[in-house]
């Protein structure tokens, strides 16, 4: 039977939803495909993926997108940086700091904090390497900070900046039953929810009937 290809961007963990899919639709394989944030929307438009878990904002032309949850924004710093003395950081704390702004940045900035380094790294992973070298600091969603964890780096929550929003996206003209099942899973609907399509029913096994107790034969009179 044809499977379902679900893409996901770095930092998003679809394992729980994948397990639920397998429990509810065991005959339809779910293939998980990690993709970059930049290419995710186009892969769905070209039908190379049936749906994708990505971060908003995106160009929604030809796509549906339903927000699922919001990620906390953090600043990644060397472990010996003075900022680590605080439990939480504000944008004012970064005013004099050199900041890295990778080209694959997923946050919707109006004015990024700090003094931006003009030479922008291409990827978040490259920016993390530069933080470790002492070149600058980096602001990312918390899941990306965890993904690129290093022993010589840490991070602190950052207030007063945009948060990233993870969403499920799929083509506007491809909202079939499998997509509806996936929507139900990521939104936490139960199997018996009336809002989703009906799952194929399995025949219940007939319970074995107890055997009748053997009847005693009447004794013959002599």
């Amino acid at each position: 039977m044809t499977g379902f290809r679900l893409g996901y961007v770095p930092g998003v963990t679809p394992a729980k939803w994948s397990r639920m899919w397998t429990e509810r639709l065991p005959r339809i394989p779910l293939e998980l495909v990690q993709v970059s944030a930049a290419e995710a929307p186009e892969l769905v438009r070209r039908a190379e993926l049936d749906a994708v878990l990505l971060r908003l904002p995106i160009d929604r032309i030809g796509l549906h997108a339903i927000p699922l949850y919001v990620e906390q924004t953090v600043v990644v710093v060397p472990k010996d940086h003075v900022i680590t003395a605080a439990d939480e950081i504000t944008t004012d704390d970064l005013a004099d700091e050199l900041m890295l702004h990778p080209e694959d940045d997923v946050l919707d900035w109006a004015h990024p904090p700090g003094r931006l380094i003009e030479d922008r790294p291409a990827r978040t992973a490259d920016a993390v390497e530069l933080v470790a070298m002492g070149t600058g600091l980096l602001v990312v969603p918390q899941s990306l900070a965890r993904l690129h964890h290093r022993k010589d780096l840490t991070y602190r929550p950052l207030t007063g900046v945009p948060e990233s929003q993870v969403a499920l996206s799929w083509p506007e003209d491809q909202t079939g039953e499998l997509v509806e099942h996936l929507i139900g899973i990521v939104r936490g609907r139960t199997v018996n929810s009336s809002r989703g399509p009906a799952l194929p029913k399995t025949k219940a096994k007939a319970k074995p009937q107890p055997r009748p107790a053997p009847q005693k034969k009447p004794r013959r009179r002599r």
Side-chain angles (χ1 to χ4, degrees):
M1 187 174 290
T2 305
F4 191 93
R5 287 172 58 85
L6 175 63
Y8 64 99
V9 299
V12 175
T13 53
K16 178 182 71 173
W17 297 323
S18 176
R19 288 193 298 270
M20 294 177 65
W21 176 285
T22 302
E23 292 170 2
R24 298 185 187 186
L25 301 166
R27 297 182 180 180
I28 303 175
L30 178 67
E31 182 182 357
L32 298 178
V33 184
Q34 184 169 347
V35 298
S36 71
E39 66 180 344
E42 194 57 35
L43 288 174
V44 178
R45 288 194 185 94
R46 296 201 304 260
E48 293 183 33
L49 297 172
D50 296 299
V52 65
L53 295 162
L54 43 64
R55 292 183 180 87
L56 300 177
I58 59 168
D59 179 359
R60 296 202 188 189
I61 295 176
L63 298 177
H64 285 298
I66 54 171
L68 301 178
Y69 60 90
V70 173
E71 295 181 294
Q72 185 175 44
T73 301
V74 302
V75 55
V76 179
V77 301
K79 276 193 171 180
D80 59 355
H81 197 284
V82 65
I83 278 179
T84 60
D87 294 330
E88 193 175 76
I89 307 302
T90 68
T91 53
D92 290 340
D93 296 324
L94 301 178
D96 296 325
E97 297 288 345
L98 290 175
M99 304 298 298
L100 295 156
H101 190 199
E103 293 178 5
D104 66 352
D105 190 359
V106 298
L107 295 170
D108 188 20
W109 294 110
H111 302 287
R115 297 180 293 136
L116 296 182
I117 297 174
E118 292 184 7
D119 188 10
R120 297 180 65 181
R123 303 176 305 154
T124 297
D126 300 326
V128 171
E129 292 288 339
L130 292 172
V131 175
M133 295 169 58
T135 304
L137 308 184
L138 175 66
V139 176
V140 291
Q142 187 175 15
S143 65
L144 286 180
R146 289 174 174 170
L147 178 66
H148 298 290
H149 171 72
R150 292 174 52 120
K151 291 182 179 180
D152 53 349
L153 300 179
T154 188
Y155 60 84
R156 290 292 184 270
L158 181 61
T159 62
V161 294
E163 295 176 313
S164 70
Q165 199 166 35
V166 173
L168 174 67
S169 181
W170 69 96
E172 285 183 344
D173 58 350
Q174 297 294 328
T175 310
E177 279 201 5
L178 293 181
V179 171
E180 288 288 353
H181 280 304
L182 181 59
I183 293 171
I185 288 171
V186 299
R187 283 189 161 175
R189 296 178 195 160
T190 63
V191 175
N192 298 322
S193 171
S194 60
R195 296 183 62 185
L199 290 169
K201 295 182 179 179
T202 55
K203 292 182 179 179
K205 292 183 180 180
K207 294 183 179 179
Q209 298 295 324
R211 293 182 180 180
Q215 295 181 354
K216 294 181 178 182
K217 294 182 180 181
R219 294 182 179 180
R220 293 181 181 180
R221 294 182 178 179
R222 292 181 181 179

